[in-house]
Amino acid sequence: METAGGSKWSLIRPFLVILLIHSLAIYLFTRGFLLTRTELASFSHCSDLTHSPCSSISSSHRRSNFTPPPDESPDELHRDRRCWTKPAVDRLVIIVLDALRFDFVAPSTFFKDKKPWMDKLRVLQKLASAEGSSARIFKAIADPPTTSLQRLKGLTTGGLPTFIDVGNSFGAPAIVEDNLIHQLVRNGKRVLMMGDDTWLQLFPDHFNTSYPYPSFNVKDLDTVDNGVIEHLLPSLYKEDWDVLIAHFLGVDHAGHIFGVDSAQMIQKLEQYNSILEEVVDVLKSESGAGGLHENTFLIVMGDHGQTTNGDHGGGTAEEVETSLFAMSLQSPPASVSSVLDSSFCHPDLDGRKLCVGIFEQLDFAVTISALLGIPFPFGSIGRVDPEIYALSAHTWEGRGTGTNDCQPSSDLASWKQNYANALCINSWQVKRYIDLYSATSVIGLPIEDLNHVSELYSQAQTNWSDTVSSGYLPMGTPHRIQDSEESPFQQKIDAYSDFLESVAKLARSAWTEFDGTLMGVGLSCMLVSLAIHLLAIRRLNILCKPYQNALNILGNYFSLVSPLLLVAIRAASFLSNSYILAEGSVANFLLATAGIIRLQRSIREWKLPTDELFFLLLSTIIRFGIEIGMSKESSASTFLFTFSKNIFGINEGDPLLTVLTDIFPIILLFVLAIMFYKFISGICCWPHFRYILYFGTVCSYLLIALHWASESNLMPISLFVQYTGRNFAPQVVYAIGFGLLVLSVLSRFLDSSRVKPTARMTVLSLALVSSWSPTILILLGRQGPFAVLIFISGAWFIVKSWREGWIESTRRDLGAFIIDPIPVIQWSFLAVCLFFYTGHWCTFDGLRYGAAFVGFDHFNIIRQVAE
């Protein structure tokens, strides 16, 4: 007995070791891949500035940075308007155009090829070229992941959301760390929000007034935008807000459903152009002396870009490059315009010179805080942007004046002094955040990098007091010296900028760049576990040697080596940097290769390779389907439309195209119902359960046909039928599928009849097909029946070809699969191809958001994410 127990543990022990090494490998790999950032619970306050080296600049500046007592109410603080920096603007209008690509805003003259979606926002182009140094277009660079929630979080906190934060895109939790919206409210600013309801999820109790609209229904291009339009223009005439946020979603939704190169996208851009024209007209009409918008600052921006397919989430140039337009309603002094970057300039459509700046979205929170004179968010690691800060240079009091025996400062020197002070506070804030983060975070920052940024900060801070005192130069000092690159304030600006850029680089490497070392160690541990696994298999090989000899494996050497090579190629392809986008094509290539191997065997055995030839034909059709599935059209249930145009050359508007896209899918649906009846009628056991399955499936297919008919334009349909088909019918399909699934489970446990295991397995398999197939078909759209028939046919040819070989084989057990593993390989690759054939792919922008709204008008996190 003791020997038997020892033998048992000797067999189990290697697999326990494998489990432990696997766990360690997964832990190390995920530590390097799923990067995390600790959110600190610290907040910035006005009184914090007394502890900074920037608080003792000069007596006059100390007065402008007066720190209110702790018991001062927000209303009193709002009237006083003084905190960390001198307020440069009184009111701020932020218009967010979700998924605003850079080429939506910049003139087409900036690009090699002109596209249909360019030059639709002409109002911004005209303002940037006509208003001189008071308006400017920027190419804004977002940090991935480029999903809306993560970008709003990054914009308001001034930090870097990590890859793992994407999991919060649906049902976002409120932001608990310090952020721009919190500082606005804390310092008495009245915030008005309208549009995307994600703002209310992130900041549930921060807005004085809000008009939220549901944001996840990507099929709805107008509800959110119309709601914003309804409230935006009237609000511009009111005095009950200091910061207005208007978030439009139409461009984002049009991209997800139709793509960038679509009529719907162009219509949305033209609509936005008209709205922005009205907004600018209102602001200018009220910008006179004593007017409501005398000192208002306008920002029109995107939160991220989008691909030409209309998707986003990754880190490609199209996704991270968005636009930002900033305009002050008062012109800054001419000399300050030299701060604006002039290295990226081209003529606009009217032939006037137009320059575009570069803006890092990481700098948004701290830049807005500096303009409004509020504390910078504690976790912000951005830099006050010099170009946006220069657009409001006209607003500083006491500009161009000196005291005592000092030379009056030029406009540019005065701006540099204010900007150097802002950067001093900016750097001090970032330094104290980095120090606290390193001291409290479980996963801190590298010591060498921390020492480097600390040295840069010390160099920038050295002799700051001397520099401030030398800011007022003796009488007679020429302005060209004050404005030169060698001026003391310019040197300090450069030193602080170097420090802030180094911190941003350090943060990106720690929070947004994968740790290759940890990932490599994790993969190495996995390889060690595989080596142990092979040793365990070798030991089992000795025990099973008589059985293997009976299989005559050596006689089928080619049959074993070729599948192993296919699996090895499949495994090696995972290491390719382009594999994510090419996986569908690679899987289809391997599937066709496996079919060729089967064809070669049939020819060698002098058989008519009918099944193998048909399988290769299906592989070709699948290949075309995968290529089309990577396009935007497949997600809009117009797969057959694109397929017909590309394969058969049918022109748009042809009646045959209408038949293929609207009628043919319903015909195929009834073919599937007939096939299901044939399958289930061949089963002699459980007659009542069989008929329930068939009746439920047929009812579901009829409702699916009604759903597609309600979305068709072939004939006029009443509103009642439209609502029934679009919402009620899919919900009934989901309910029938769930009911059949529950019934299948109950029948499995409650049945006491003696049924053959094979018959029981057949019935339960058909029950699963009956439960899930209607739901999958309605979510796939009109291409669903075609895809299902293609793959049923492929599965039929695989089974038929294998069965013929199995009948001729001398074995009647699982050993036949060891001799001929090609069918197993074909099944595996066919399943992978099915995923890509239906229009999916393994990237964030491969998510099919529209599936969550089949049968529903509004988003529910529990109900629809499960779909």
Side-chain angles (χ1 to χ4, degrees):
M1 191 73 178
E2 184 176 341
T3 305
S7 176
K8 179 181 70 173
W9 279 108
S10 65
L11 291 174
I12 295 176
R13 192 178 299 113
F15 294 98
L16 289 177
V17 174
I18 292 172
L19 176 63
L20 292 175
I21 298 178
H22 268 173
S23 301
L24 177 63
I26 293 172
Y27 171 76
L28 293 174
F29 185 85
T30 53
R31 275 288 303 274
F33 182 72
L34 300 177
L35 305 174
T36 58
R37 179 178 65 90
T38 303
E39 295 182 355
L40 303 183
S42 301
F43 292 82
S44 298
H45 302 88
C46 280
S47 57
D48 294 345
L49 193 62
T50 58
H51 306 294
S52 80
C54 313
S55 61
S56 57
I57 296 174
S58 66
S59 58
S60 61
H61 199 195
R62 282 200 301 270
R63 287 193 297 271
S64 68
N65 283 292
F66 166 77
T67 301
D71 57 347
E72 185 172 9
S73 67
D75 289 339
E76 293 172 339
L77 181 61
H78 171 65
R79 287 191 295 268
D80 196 76
R81 299 176 67 249
R82 294 174 294 185
C83 196
W84 283 17
T85 60
K86 292 181 179 181
V89 299
D90 295 330
R91 309 183 90 193
L92 178 65
V93 177
I94 301 175
I95 298 178
V96 181
L97 306 181
D98 208 290
L100 185 70
R101 287 168 57 102
F102 175 61
D103 56 8
F104 286 170
V105 177
S108 57
T109 54
F110 279 69
F111 305 95
K112 182 178 180 180
D113 299 317
K114 182 176 180 179
K115 302 296 183 181
W117 58 81
M118 295 180 180
D119 300 323
K120 302 305 177 184
L121 297 177
R122 290 295 308 278
V123 60
L124 301 182
Q125 299 175 10
K126 292 179 179 178
L127 288 170
S129 59
E131 297 294 329
S133 58
S134 62
R136 191 163 178 82
I137 292 174
F138 296 86
K139 176 191 285 187
I141 308 300
D143 290 288
T146 50
T147 54
S148 293
L149 183 140
Q150 279 65 48
R151 293 317 315 139
L152 293 183
K153 183 175 180 180
L155 286 167
T156 55
T157 62
L160 295 170
T162 59
F163 174 83
I164 201 171
D165 287 333
V166 176
N168 294 327
S169 293
F170 302 97
I175 295 178
V176 295
E177 62 180 319
D178 199 3
N179 58 81
L180 174 63
I181 305 299
H182 171 82
Q183 289 296 339
L184 289 171
V185 176
R186 171 70 178 81
N187 291 275
K189 302 295 183 181
R190 300 160 298 175
V191 184
L192 168 64
M193 191 285 301
M194 57 189 71
D196 187 350
D197 62 352
T198 305
W199 287 90
L200 243 62
Q201 298 177 36
L202 297 176
F203 312 103
D205 303 312
H206 292 72
F207 302 114
N208 291 66
T209 308
S210 61
Y211 304 102
Y213 297 91
S215 59
F216 277 108
N217 188 357
V218 293
K219 292 184 176 181
D220 184 353
L221 307 185
D222 301 315
T223 297
V224 176
D225 290 355
N226 291 341
V228 175
I229 295 170
E230 178 185 354
H231 298 286
L232 176 56
L233 294 177
S235 298
L236 294 177
Y237 291 99
K238 298 179 181 179
E239 300 183 5
D240 59 351
W241 57 268
D242 300 296
V243 177
L244 185 152
I245 301 172
H247 193 144
F248 290 85
L249 280 175
V251 162
D252 180 70
H253 289 184
H256 280 303
I257 299 300
F258 303 103
V260 171
D261 191 4
S262 63
Q264 292 81 359
M265 178 65 74
I266 293 175
Q267 290 171 5
K268 272 294 163 187
L269 292 173
E270 291 174 345
Q271 180 190 27
Y272 289 172
N273 188 70
S274 299
I275 296 168
L276 292 174
E277 285 180 343
E278 295 183 50
V279 169
V280 172
D281 289 341
V282 173
L283 294 178
K284 286 187 173 182
S285 65
E286 297 288 333
S287 63
L292 188 60
H293 297 295
E294 178 184 6
N295 195 21
T296 297
F297 201 80
L298 171 66
I299 291 179
V300 180
M301 63 181 297
D303 53 349
H304 51 73
Q306 58 177 306
T307 65
T308 52
N309 276 342
D311 299 311
H312 55 88
T316 64
E318 289 182 314
E319 294 168 284
V320 301
E321 291 180 0
T322 180
S323 299
L324 185 144
F325 170 83
M327 185 180 75
S328 173
L329 295 178
Q330 302 294 332
S331 298
S335 61
V336 179
S337 63
S338 63
V339 177
L340 304 178
D341 184 14
S342 59
S343 60
F344 189 26
C345 301
H346 289 280
D348 64 6
L349 298 181
D350 298 323
R352 293 176 295 189
K353 182 180 179 181
L354 191 150
C355 297
V356 172
I358 303 296
F359 177 79
E360 297 282 346
Q361 283 194 350
L362 186 67
D363 303 337
F364 181 80
V366 67
T367 301
I368 298 302
S369 298
L371 291 178
L372 293 171
I374 61 176
F376 305 161
F378 188 87
S380 172
I381 56 173
R383 178 189 67 156
V384 178
D385 186 79
E387 296 189 70
I388 292 182
Y389 200 69
L391 294 179
S392 58
H394 67 280
T395 59
W396 287 304
E397 298 175 0
R399 183 180 74 250
T401 59
T403 57
N404 300 330
D405 296 328
C406 297
Q407 168 78 12
S409 301
S410 67
D411 292 322
L412 180 57
S414 178
W415 178 87
K416 287 184 176 182
Q417 180 179 356
N418 282 279
Y419 183 59
N421 173 56
L423 284 186
C424 176
I425 299 172
N426 189 179
S427 301
W428 163 76
Q429 166 55 41
V430 170
K431 181 63 167 61
R432 71 169 184 167
Y433 167 71
I434 291 297
D435 289 344
L436 182 62
Y437 184 90
S438 302
T440 59
S441 175
V442 177
I443 305 175
L445 300 172
I447 298 298
E448 299 81 5
D449 294 327
L450 287 175
N451 292 335
H452 174 66
V453 296
S454 296
E455 182 180 352
L456 289 177
Y457 180 74
S458 299
Q459 293 175 0
Q461 202 59 44
T462 301
N463 300 324
W464 168 245
S465 299
D466 296 339
T467 300
V468 173
S469 63
S470 64
Y472 295 104
L473 301 178
M475 290 293 293
T477 303
H479 282 184
R480 61 180 177 82
I481 297 179
Q482 301 180 38
D483 300 343
S484 68
E485 295 295 324
E486 289 76 23
S487 66
F489 282 112
Q490 182 62 51
Q491 294 174 5
K492 285 302 170 187
I493 290 172
D494 295 339
Y496 285 129
S497 297
D498 290 343
F499 163 74
L500 292 170
E501 289 173 3
S502 297
V503 171
K505 182 179 179 180
L506 169 61
R508 286 191 173 98
S509 65
W511 298 327
T512 65
E513 296 179 7
F514 299 139
D515 191 328
T517 302
L518 282 178
M519 294 171 66
V521 173
L523 289 175
S524 300
C525 291
M526 187 66 70
L527 292 176
V528 171
S529 71
L530 290 177
I532 298 176
H533 208 153
L534 290 175
L535 292 175
I537 292 174
R538 185 172 181 273
R539 184 172 183 180
L540 291 175
N541 185 42
I542 297 174
L543 297 176
C544 301
K545 191 171 184 180
Y547 179 72
Q548 293 176 358
N549 291 335
L551 295 179
N552 191 23
I553 293 179
L554 294 177
N556 298 275
Y557 181 77
F558 179 78
S559 300
L560 288 176
V561 172
S562 54
L564 289 176
L565 285 176
L566 292 178
V567 174
I569 294 172
R570 165 80 170 163
S573 62
F574 282 110
L575 303 177
S576 171
N577 60 354
S578 61
Y579 181 73
I580 291 178
L581 294 179
E583 182 178 0
S585 300
V586 172
N588 180 258
F589 171 79
L590 296 176
L591 176 67
T593 304
I596 292 174
I597 294 174
R598 295 287 299 182
L599 176 65
Q600 178 265 345
R601 179 180 302 175
S602 296
I603 295 175
R604 188 180 59 190
E605 296 175 357
W606 297 96
K607 296 179 182 178
L608 183 63
T610 306
D611 297 332
E612 288 76 8
L613 290 175
F614 274 113
F615 184 81
L616 289 176
L617 176 62
L618 287 177
S619 298
T620 304
I621 296 175
I622 291 171
R623 175 56 183 262
F624 283 112
I626 290 175
E627 295 299 326
I628 297 173
M630 294 292 287
S631 69
K632 176 54 58 183
E633 285 86 354
S634 64
S635 65
S637 285
T638 55
F639 172 87
L640 292 176
F641 177 84
T642 308
F643 187 84
S644 303
K645 288 196 303 181
N646 294 348
I647 304 300
F648 302 110
I650 302 176
N651 297 322
E652 188 172 354
D654 193 312
L656 181 58
L657 188 61
T658 303
V659 171
L660 287 174
T661 56
D662 289 338
I663 300 177
F664 188 59
I666 297 178
I667 295 175
L668 293 181
L669 199 61
F670 284 103
V671 172
L672 287 177
I674 295 172
M675 293 176 62
F676 184 77
Y677 175 76
K678 291 290 185 180
F679 293 150
I680 205 168
S681 61
I683 302 173
C684 57
C685 59
W686 296 351
H688 300 293
F689 181 59
R690 288 190 292 121
Y691 290 121
I692 291 175
L693 289 179
Y694 184 69
F695 178 76
T697 304
V698 170
C699 288
S700 297
Y701 286 1
L702 290 173
L703 290 170
I704 293 173
L706 174 63
H707 173 69
W708 291 343
S710 67
E711 294 181 335
S712 174
N713 297 321
L714 282 178
M715 61 185 71
I717 301 176
S718 65
L719 293 178
F720 174 77
V721 175
Q722 286 185 9
Y723 175 80
T724 303
R726 293 182 180 180
N727 292 333
F728 181 72
Q731 295 175 20
V732 176
V733 170
Y734 303 148
I736 291 175
F738 181 74
L740 291 177
L741 182 63
V742 172
L743 184 62
S744 303
V745 175
L746 292 178
S747 63
R748 172 68 179 85
F749 290 102
L750 299 179
D751 177 62
S752 58
S753 60
R754 295 185 177 180
V755 182
K756 291 183 179 180
T758 54
R760 184 192 302 274
M761 182 63 67
T762 303
V763 174
L764 292 178
S765 299
L766 288 175
L768 287 176
V769 171
S770 178
S771 304
W772 288 106
S773 65
T775 299
I776 294 174
L777 284 172
I778 199 171
L779 293 179
L780 287 177
R782 290 186 178 88
Q783 74 267 32
F786 187 71
V788 171
L789 281 176
I790 288 290
F791 281 87
I792 287 178
S793 302
W796 170 259
F797 290 129
I798 292 175
V799 172
K800 189 170 181 293
S801 178
W802 172 81
R803 185 174 177 81
E804 291 176 356
W806 180 77
I807 292 174
E808 297 175 1
S809 174
T810 57
R811 300 201 58 87
R812 295 290 185 271
D813 56 18
L814 294 178
F817 284 107
I818 301 177
I819 296 176
D820 185 13
I822 283 290
V824 179
I825 302 298
Q826 288 178 302
W827 273 107
S828 173
F829 291 146
L830 186 66
V832 175
C833 290
L834 175 61
F835 175 79
F836 294 97
Y837 185 82
T838 52
H840 300 82
W841 60 94
C842 298
T843 58
F844 291 125
D845 52 12
L847 294 174
R848 293 304 180 218
Y849 299 98
F853 295 92
V854 176
F856 302 99
D857 290 329
H858 303 289
F859 183 82
N860 180 281
I861 180 66
I862 298 176
R863 177 185 66 202
Q864 284 157 286
V865 171
E867 293 184 19

